[in-house]
Amino acid sequence: MVKENRVVLRNHGELDPLKIDEYIARDGYNALKKAFNMGQDDVIEEVKASKLRGRGGAGFSCGLKWLFTKQVEADQKYVVCNADEGEPGTYKDRMIMQYDPHTLIEGMAICGYAVGADKGYIYCRGEYPYILDILNTAIGQAAEKGLLGDFSIEVRYGAGAYVCGEETALLASLEGKRGEPSCKPPYPTVEGVWKKPTVVNNVETFASVPSIINKGAEWYSSIGDPDYPGTKILTLSGDVNNTTFFEVPTDTTLREVIFGLGGGMKDGKAFKAAQVGGNSGAFVPESLLDTPIAFDSMESISATLGSGAVFVLDETRDIVDVSCRVAGFFVHESCGKCAPCRIGTTRIHEIIERIGQGRGNAADLVLLKDLGSVMAGSCLCGLGQAAPVPILSVLKHFAEDYDAAIARAGEVC
Amino acid sequence: MGGDCLHIVLQNPKSMVACTCFGLRMGDILRLMVLNLKSIYNIQRGGVLVEYKKLVDDYTSMPGGLIEAFHAIQNEHGYLPEAAINEAAEAFKISAAEAYGVATFYSMFSVKPRGKYVIRICRSAPCHVEGAQEVIAALEQELGICMGGTSNDGLFSLEFTECVGQCQERPVITINGEPYAGVTPGDVPGILNEIRNK
Ligand SMILES: Cc1cc2nc3c(=O)[nH]c(=O)nc-3n(C[C@H](O)[C@H](O)[C@H](O)COP(=O)(O)O)c2cc1C
Ligand code: SF4
Ligand code: FES
């Protein structure tokens, strides 16, 4: 039986998030003190050795990112926490900030010390206004106790744009501009906010750091999958019994998540599909449920771990209708900067809508696949590149549903 | 025509010459300028003069503070009035077009007046499959308006949103940012009454 392993969420429900003394009583800010004594290089070395990889979706080595930022000569560097959390079905970053803000603050301060940045920003999505006071109170408490050294943190708010989760768009938004992505390189590690070297990490990534410094890289890298070690917070929605959150080692399989922790399918219905990683993730069929959630194993089945959202559908769900809604999300969220995405997302949605309404034909499926491969290769940022992923996965694994919808169209005519 | 012309004139007084070429008399132009000055102040809440500039000025010293300034204006007025956007553009030393571009990029900002309470309904897939549509129908019926509309009493506006990160219970709506998770159509009248009685 699979069990939770709470590393990031170790304090969840165990303390009052507004009382710093309760955090300190649970070993809080020890890692930061330890980091100050270790020296910058050793902190980065420790994080690198832990093999912690980004929890925001791209899976890049956290230690390497810090190293690159440290290596650049600059008069000012920044640490930015990506708290834009926009993937539908995801609320893990909110849980961390709402119930244990000091873990995030400590992780950011360790990063600031390691890379030589004295200023940090938390870019929080505008949909979480109720978190502002919690974060500011916690930051104020830590500063008042002099725990953060010369590091300061400011909370900034987005205003409802999923694309601002993409790091270059996020930094543009932080500068008060339209949140449109830009071409990389230069990467933020070299030219980030206000053209200064900037570390951008996800909330969960930063929140993993204090435990790594406290307990050591060896301890961390031995948890879960060797190539993507540690734990991952998953948020379950859809037709399972326990639609809640879990923190599990990264070698846990999807089947263990859905049928173990998730308590299996609701009302005794049969499993049909699980969309993993949020709206931009692939739909996974029953036959692939024994895949571990780790980054690379998910990639090996053309899926992504993404934000860790697991959206489960039972046999009665209309997957054409669900994929139509998934496609509609990208129409709304495309920033419109580049044509393949601006037009492609609209056309994908239009075609699926047509098929769903019983007006599709077999040529539409070819069109969808073509459009998908053009977008994957030509869109400027990850939003447009990933937009066809869920659709192509449905066409691959649930082709019969699309065929049936098209056959119905034949009957209508 | 009057509005457009006015902007040109305000940003470049020399263009008055151009305007007169289009057949506007000097008197008209001056009258328009006075009108615009008036619109910088917005008369709200029983005649209290509200100066947008005050709200904006709190954020000009904050690098990249335009979005925070917009949040402050919207928290106060429910939307971003044109005059406020112009005021912000001036304070942040950017063009009005640029400021307007930012205001319209973000889905939480509105450049049109809205009800006192903005109800947003999550339509992302997890909420969609668990009855978001039925909640929308109940809200529309209860308020007598369609999605995107504002009720006659000016109290409520209905808007779509994508996931608001409260997916532990679905479907989810927010009212002025406050989440209500696991809403059923039957809950709708009660929720609206609770707000009306505030
Ligand atoms: C469209 C799009 C949306 C994204 N949204 C988020 C997000 O909400 N949160 C996040 O941490 N990363 C998001 N990312 C990934 C970021 O660009 C970036 O890789 C990440 O913040 C780096 O942090 P990490 O290395 O700790 O994962 C998004 C990427 C794309 C292309
Ligand atoms: S891919 Fe889409 S979201 Fe990304 S830059 Fe192009 S239009 Fe904008
Ligand atoms: S999917 Fe509706 S709140 Fe997250």
Side-chain angles (χ1 to χ4, degrees):
Chain A
M1 178 67 189
V2 59
K3 280 223 297 275
E4 272 203 83
N5 182 356
R6 293 197 168 184
V7 174
V8 172
L9 298 175
R10 67 196 178 286
N11 294 327
H12 187 89
E14 304 286 333
L15 48 69
D16 180 341
L18 294 179
K19 295 202 174 123
I20 191 170
D21 290 333
E22 293 189 17
Y23 181 71
I24 291 173
R26 292 178 64 85
D27 236 7
Y29 290 104
N30 268 352
L32 181 57
K33 279 187 208 132
K34 192 171 166 190
F36 289 152
N37 290 327
M38 285 165 75
Q40 292 171 286
D41 293 331
D42 283 358
V43 171
I44 292 180
E45 198 42 55
E46 195 74 19
V47 174
K48 226 173 85 192
S50 76
K51 296 206 233 155
L52 170 65
R53 289 165 66 185
R55 295 306 197 240
F60 191 76
S61 158
C62 179
L64 271 184
K65 193 182 275 187
W66 292 15
L67 181 64
F68 293 158
T69 308
K70 161 136 199 293
Q71 281 170 344
V72 184
E73 290 280 337
D75 56 346
Q76 175 74 57
K77 296 177 187 177
Y78 296 98
V79 173
V80 172
C81 171
N82 188 340
D84 198 49
E85 186 155 76
E87 278 297 352
T90 312
Y91 51 95
K92 64 179 181 81
D93 296 340
R94 171 173 64 79
M95 307 290 283
I96 297 168
M97 295 187 287
Q98 200 167 2
Y99 297 105
D100 192 17
H102 286 290
T103 293
L104 168 62
I105 293 165
E106 186 174 7
M108 287 180 71
I110 292 170
C111 174
Y113 168 71
V115 305
D118 63 2
K119 172 94 194 178
Y121 288 102
I122 298 174
Y123 181 91
C124 183
R125 65 184 311 209
E127 285 82 352
Y128 294 164
Y130 39 86
I131 283 179
L132 180 68
D133 282 347
I134 299 176
L135 288 175
N136 277 337
T137 305
I139 293 165
Q141 289 171 342
E144 197 181 303
K145 284 195 184 283
L147 292 167
L148 303 182
D150 62 355
F151 190 69
S152 67
I153 302 178
E154 192 178 323
V155 185
R156 288 287 184 89
Y157 267 82
Y162 164 76
V163 71
C164 286
E166 196 282 336
E167 53 190 8
T168 60
L170 183 151
L171 297 176
S173 183
L174 201 54
E175 292 176 3
K177 302 179 187 146
R178 287 165 70 89
E180 287 175 353
S182 46
C183 291
K184 292 186 273 194
Y187 288 94
T189 47
V190 178
E191 230 178 72
V193 70
W194 294 295
K195 299 217 182 303
K196 300 293 182 189
T198 305
V199 172
V200 182
N201 273 136
N202 174 255
V203 176
E204 192 182 352
T205 312
F206 281 126
S208 303
V209 170
S211 299
I212 291 173
I213 297 297
N214 268 334
K215 299 190 179 177
E218 206 170 311
W219 163 80
Y220 189 80
S221 61
S222 68
I223 303 172
D225 181 278
D227 292 320
Y228 185 85
T231 56
K232 181 79 188 80
I233 307 175
L234 306 176
T235 47
L236 271 63
S237 64
D239 302 318
V240 283
N241 282 313
N242 309 327
T243 52
T244 179
F245 61 96
F246 301 101
E247 182 175 354
V248 294
T250 51
D251 57 355
T252 309
T253 67
L254 282 174
R255 194 181 299 281
E256 288 170 322
V257 171
I258 295 166
F259 291 94
L261 295 166
M265 301 299 293
K266 228 187 284 182
D267 304 330
K269 292 195 183 123
F271 172 91
K272 174 155 189 151
Q275 188 183 27
V276 185
N279 203 80
S280 52
F283 285 85
V284 178
E286 156 93 37
S287 58
L288 296 175
L289 285 186
D290 292 311
T291 315
I293 60 162
F295 191 86
D296 311 279
S297 38
M298 290 304 288
E299 210 153 61
S300 74
I301 59 163
S302 305
T304 45
L305 172 58
S307 64
V310 180
F311 171 44
V312 182
L313 298 174
D314 71 31
E315 54 185 338
T316 65
R317 296 297 184 185
D318 176 353
I319 209 149
V320 178
D321 172 64
V322 174
S323 45
C324 187
R325 184 70 270 288
V326 165
F329 172 86
F330 290 115
V331 177
H332 186 249
E333 299 300 337
S334 166
C335 83
K337 179 171 175 169
C338 65
C341 169
R342 182 178 66 243
I343 303 169
T345 50
T346 303
R347 292 292 173 255
I348 287 185
H349 181 242
E350 209 171 72
I351 297 170
I352 299 178
E353 200 168 39
R354 185 160 75 215
I355 295 174
Q357 290 167 346
R359 295 185 293 114
N361 60 54
D364 283 337
L365 300 181
V366 181
L367 211 53
L368 278 178
K369 286 178 193 159
D370 277 358
L371 204 47
S373 71
V374 169
M375 287 173 69
S378 62
C379 287
L380 192 154
C381 86
L383 186 150
Q385 290 157 12
V389 167
I391 309 307
L392 295 179
S393 71
V394 170
L395 291 182
K396 183 167 165 198
H397 301 301
F398 305 95
E400 62 283 2
D401 290 67
Y402 267 79
D403 291 342
I406 286 168
R408 275 202 300 281
E411 288 159 22
V412 176
C413 290
Chain B
M1 166 64 193
D4 292 347
C5 176
L6 184 65
H7 283 167
I8 299 169
V9 172
L10 279 177
Q11 259 154 40
N12 179 7
K14 276 189 204 149
S15 64
M16 263 193 214
V17 182
C19 287
T20 46
C21 299
F22 281 116
L24 275 176
R25 282 172 297 132
M26 210 51 144
D28 289 339
I29 295 170
L30 286 176
R31 202 146 40 79
L32 283 171
M33 285 179 77
V34 172
L35 266 178
N36 190 65
L37 283 178
K38 276 192 186 155
S39 80
I40 290 177
Y41 299 94
N42 193 17
I43 299 182
Q44 292 222 344
R45 304 216 179 114
V48 184
L49 272 183
V50 183
E51 205 185 341
Y52 301 125
K53 199 171 175 329
K54 263 202 199 125
L55 285 171
V56 173
D57 280 351
D58 283 348
Y59 297 93
T60 43
S61 60
M62 177 192 266
L66 179 64
I67 293 170
E68 295 293 329
F70 280 167
H71 273 302
I73 295 166
Q74 185 157 290
N75 282 344
E76 193 70 26
H77 299 278
Y79 78 112
L80 301 177
E82 186 181 330
I85 296 174
N86 290 339
E87 194 68 45
E90 206 163 291
F92 283 92
K93 299 188 175 63
I94 56 175
S95 72
E98 218 174 310
Y100 192 75
V102 173
T104 52
F105 183 84
Y106 297 93
S107 69
M108 288 173 71
F109 292 144
S110 172
V111 294
K112 294 202 188 92
R114 299 188 289 184
K116 186 168 174 209
Y117 297 98
V118 177
I119 306 181
R120 308 188 97 203
I121 302 107
C122 170
R123 62 169 166 185
S124 288
C127 284
H128 171 76
V129 301
E130 283 184 59
Q133 204 53 50
E134 284 84 50
V135 174
I136 289 172
L139 281 163
E140 287 183 331
Q141 197 192 344
E142 202 58 34
L143 295 171
I145 55 173
C146 293
M147 289 302 293
T150 298
S151 59
N152 281 337
D153 56 9
L155 265 189
F156 297 101
S157 292
L158 291 181
E159 290 179 1
F160 282 115
T161 178
E162 297 292 351
C163 178
V164 295
Q166 289 284 345
C167 343
Q168 63 280 2
E169 277 180 273
R170 303 146 308 275
V172 177
I173 68 171
T174 63
I175 303 181
N176 285 1
E178 194 189 322
Y180 293 69
V183 176
T184 64
D187 297 337
V188 166
I191 293 174
L192 293 179
N193 276 335
E194 183 195 314
I195 302 278
R196 285 193 187 102
N197 294 334
K198 261 190 190 171

